[in-house]
Amino acid sequence: MIDTGYGIYYQDIVNMLQYYGLGDLSRLKRIYITHADADHCGAAGFFPAPSYLNRETFLITRETSRAYGSSNQDCILEEVYTKIINLFSRFTPPSNTVIFPEVSLSDKTIEKRGVFPVIARFQIGNLKFEALAGMGGHMHGEVFYLCPEEGLLFPEDAVINFKSLSPDRTAYNVLADYLMTSVNVDSKLAREERKL
């Protein structure tokens, strides 16, 4: 599984998996977390499978601010928003975790996909994935999951087609902008990251 959704929707996720014949949770072996926002890892603690994530994401799940580790980590709006969304969404972060190996982003020998360092590799069935360290525009510690052979990319929230959202979903998404001024911890960096 890549990301889990909000904790409040855990039972809905289980029901959906059962509906599609995937309801035996003992078959779920790993969860790969893209970043620490509640809508991406908020149900991870309910699942028995280990969650794979990087150190920064793990630390953010234990902090009171989604901006921890970013250039905006002292912004009080980020802390207030994090507390509110975590409370209302029943945020249950992963407790069974596997931390990706740490890499020094300044190390010139690190393999990269474009500008994004490859921090881990894994296989799901016959699909081979790479975990790529993001630049931290949306959230410090973000990870993209790429399957180059199949052209699959799980870019967390770095790439969103806002025009495809329903009016209700658009109205919901702008709540974060009203509460924090931006869904990104570093909007300038997020715009740069999206271009790459």
Side-chain angles (χ1 to χ4, degrees):
M1 177 185 289
I2 295 179
D3 287 342
T4 65
Y6 289 118
I8 198 166
Y9 295 131
Y10 167 74
Q11 191 56 54
D12 294 320
I13 294 165
V14 171
N15 292 345
M16 177 190 66
L17 293 172
Q18 288 173 343
Y19 178 82
Y20 287 106
L22 305 168
D24 180 3
L25 293 183
S26 70
R27 294 180 58 208
L28 179 61
K29 302 297 181 204
R30 297 168 295 209
I31 298 170
Y32 292 95
I33 303 295
T34 60
H35 65 292
D37 271 340
D39 60 329
H40 289 261
C41 70
F46 291 116
F47 290 97
S51 291
Y52 288 70
L53 61 166
N54 66 21
R55 183 178 181 279
E56 292 88 0
T57 298
F58 174 79
L59 291 173
I60 293 169
T61 65
R62 290 353 190 220
E63 288 294 323
T64 58
S65 174
R66 66 184 296 281
Y68 174 79
S70 77
S71 59
N72 289 329
Q73 76 177 10
D74 295 327
C75 179
I76 190 68
L77 291 176
E78 294 280 0
E79 187 172 344
V80 170
Y81 175 80
T82 302
K83 287 180 179 178
I84 290 171
I85 198 69
N86 288 356
L87 175 67
F88 288 116
S89 69
R90 201 168 160 208
F91 184 64
T92 307
S95 55
N96 180 4
T97 59
V98 177
I99 307 297
F100 290 132
E102 289 191 52
V103 297
S104 171
L105 300 182
S106 62
D107 183 348
K108 303 293 186 212
T109 65
I110 297 294
E111 182 183 355
K112 294 183 177 180
R113 287 279 180 180
V115 299
F116 303 104
V118 177
I119 59 172
R121 286 188 163 79
F122 58 92
Q123 192 164 330
I124 300 175
N126 63 351
L127 300 177
K128 296 177 182 176
F129 282 85
E130 297 172 347
L132 309 176
M135 296 168 65
H138 177 64
M139 181 175 266
H140 184 67
E142 64 196 7
V143 177
F144 309 131
Y145 296 112
L146 173 68
C147 176
E149 290 80 21
E150 297 296 325
L152 294 173
L153 176 66
F154 295 88
E156 52 101 28
D157 286 337
V159 180
I160 298 174
N161 181 359
F162 290 102
K163 293 177 184 175
S164 71
L165 300 178
S166 70
D168 287 342
R169 187 66 184 164
T170 299
Y172 172 78
N173 281 348
V174 298
L175 284 176
D177 283 343
Y178 293 139
L179 294 172
M180 301 183 300
T181 69
S182 174
V183 296
N184 301 308
V185 296
D186 187 327
S187 293
K188 180 180 175 193
L189 187 57
R191 283 189 298 277
E192 181 182 327
E193 192 171 48
R194 286 184 180 114
K195 291 177 188 176
L196 301 171

